[in-house]
Amino acid sequence: MRRPIIAGNWKMNLMPGQAVDLVEGLWADISGYDAVEVVVCPPCIDLPAVSECMRSGDIRIGLGAQSMHWEESGAFTGEVSPTMLLGLGVTHVIIGHSERRQLFGETDQGVNRKVKSALAHGLVPIMCVGETLKQREAGETEGTVTGQVNCGLFELGPQEISTVVLAYEPIWAIGTGKAATAQDAQAVIGVIRSVLGEQFGEQAAGSVRIQYGGSVKPDNISEIMAMPDIDGALVGGASLKADVFTRLVRFS
Ligand code: PEP
């Protein structure tokens, strides 16, 4: 059984105090609710305050970063390393979000290095893949996503694969209010799972959790989560308000 995982990507929003308020508000509503694994991914600058509030308040929510470098230290201006994240109690890290790929030039090869580094440091990578509208309209969705999955997971073994969380996020659905239909999301995520099966074997493929992301809201989450291969959601806008995010987490 794959335990669903719902992660909030707060992007470049919320000052540390606001992030702490949001975590505390969320925990007040979901503590004791274990059906879903919950992760929040605040901006890096908020991580120390959120980590401390989770520790002191015994708040058992995963703490994710939105990106990281693959090296532990060095001349990489503006980056954070896996060891720095670990030192802050971070458990998960989003890798290869489409905004990182499109706006900051991240490549599949870089994503692969980051995924390997995250795993080597005991962080759970949430590796994002997804097609542009142009690619979808040109019938290139499967090819694009398959290529991203194969490159991003290059040289990993079946054991490592089981730890990775994948997020299928069609770029045209992110922040637009136009979510993919549950059936369309299932179709692509089903393809991803069969690609994993070919590469890593059926058992490993069956254990990997694959999220859908792109305009997930309380009114479409149940339909999305009812799909056989969808194991959670990566949520942007709707994760920024405790009451709305709570409704996503308690979707069932
Ligand atoms: C995201 O940023 O990963 C995302 C899915 O955003 P939104 O939920 O706002 O579409």
Side-chain angles (χ1 to χ4, degrees), residues 12-74:
M12 199 172 71
N13 295 296
L14 307 178
M15 299 298 277
Q18 297 170 306
V20 165
D21 287 348
L22 179 49
V23 167
E24 288 177 344
L26 182 61
W27 185 243
D29 292 336
I30 65 165
S31 63
Y33 183 77
D34 291 332
V36 169
E37 180 180 351
V38 180
V39 180
V40 293
C41 306
C44 248
I45 194 82
D46 296 350
L47 288 172
V50 172
S51 178
E52 173 51 26
C53 113
M54 286 180 169
R55 194 198 57 74
S56 60
D58 193 23
I59 295 177
R60 293 179 299 281
I61 294 175
L63 182 59
Q66 298 174 12
S67 181
M68 66 166 214
H69 198 276
W70 55 80
E71 294 289 352
E72 292 194 346
S73 63

Side-chain angles (χ1 to χ4, degrees), residues 72-142:
E72 292 194 346
S73 63
F76 303 104
T77 302
E79 293 289 328
V80 289
S81 80
T83 37
M84 291 169 180
L85 296 178
L86 283 174
L88 289 173
V90 168
T91 50
H92 295 66
V93 56
I94 299 172
I95 292 178
H97 189 279
S98 61
E99 287 153 16
R100 300 289 324 163
R101 293 176 187 259
Q102 291 200 310
L103 304 174
F104 301 101
E106 288 204 7
T107 62
D108 283 329
Q109 289 68 30
V111 167
N112 179 243
R113 292 178 86 163
K114 291 181 180 195
V115 168
K116 285 176 178 160
S117 173
L119 289 168
H121 289 88
L123 292 163
V124 175
I126 301 177
M127 187 185 104
C128 302
V129 298
E131 82 286 2
T132 62
L133 185 58
K134 200 164 160 218
Q135 288 166 326
R136 171 156 286 252
E137 287 175 347
E140 295 168 357
T141 299
E142 281 189 21

Side-chain angles (χ1 to χ4, degrees), residues 165-176:
V165 175
L166 293 178
Y168 166 58
E169 299 205 302
I171 295 170
W172 46 270
I174 296 179
T176 59

